[in-house]
Amino acid sequence: MAKEMRFDLVSPERRLASFEADEVLVPGSEGDITAMAGHMPLITILRPGIVRARGGDGDREFVVSGGFAEITATALSVLAERALPRDEVTADFLDALANDPGSDDPDATAKYTADIAALRAALGL
């Protein structure tokens, strides 16, 4: 079994990452998922949160507003609605996310708002 898997992260604006990773943690809609080489195939919806990838060059973190992740035995691809490297995230970026829940459903909006608040706390912003 291979030790590393291909990790790709893209948003509509740009490709944020494309490298070999030992493990990748994604904020799945049903909970966090850590994927490593040999993981069973899975597609999941993402909630707002932090994607953490550990590779040969160290750990890298990205903030995503939502999207999808596809995991295979050899790769993990994230298609994010909006995403930035963690060090580029500002309070204004989080405010913009909070003001656009993307749903008219009150329960979905409440969940999204809570996810953004948790993300803000995790980032210390």
Side-chain angles (χ1 to χ4, degrees):
M1 180 183 307
K3 182 182 176 206
E4 294 181 325
M5 64 189 313
R6 186 84 198 156
F7 170 61
D8 292 296
L9 170 62
V10 297
S11 72
E13 294 84 23
R14 64 180 168 161
R15 176 185 301 261
L16 288 107
S18 184
F19 58 89
E20 297 297 315
D22 298 323
E23 67 181 40
V24 181
L25 181 128
V26 294
S29 61
E30 301 295 320
D32 291 344
I33 300 168
T34 301
M36 295 181 275
H39 197 284
M40 70 179 232
L42 174 74
I43 295 176
T44 187
I45 297 170
L46 299 179
R47 69 179 192 286
I50 302 171
V51 174
R52 293 179 171 96
R54 174 171 289 153
D57 295 336
D59 295 351
R60 295 178 62 190
E61 296 182 337
F62 306 90
V63 172
V64 297
S65 65
F68 297 89
E70 179 183 18
I71 303 168
T72 68
T74 59
L76 187 149
S77 298
V78 173
L79 305 171
E81 293 168 358
R82 294 191 63 194
L84 285 175
R86 182 179 177 150
D87 60 353
E88 293 180 21
V89 175
T90 63
D92 289 339
F93 175 77
L94 295 176
D95 290 343
L97 294 182
N99 291 327
D100 184 21
S103 175
D104 293 331
D105 175 29
D107 291 335
T109 299
K111 169 82 169 86
Y112 183 82
T113 301
D115 288 339
I116 295 295
L119 177 57
R120 186 182 300 274
L123 295 170
L125 295 174

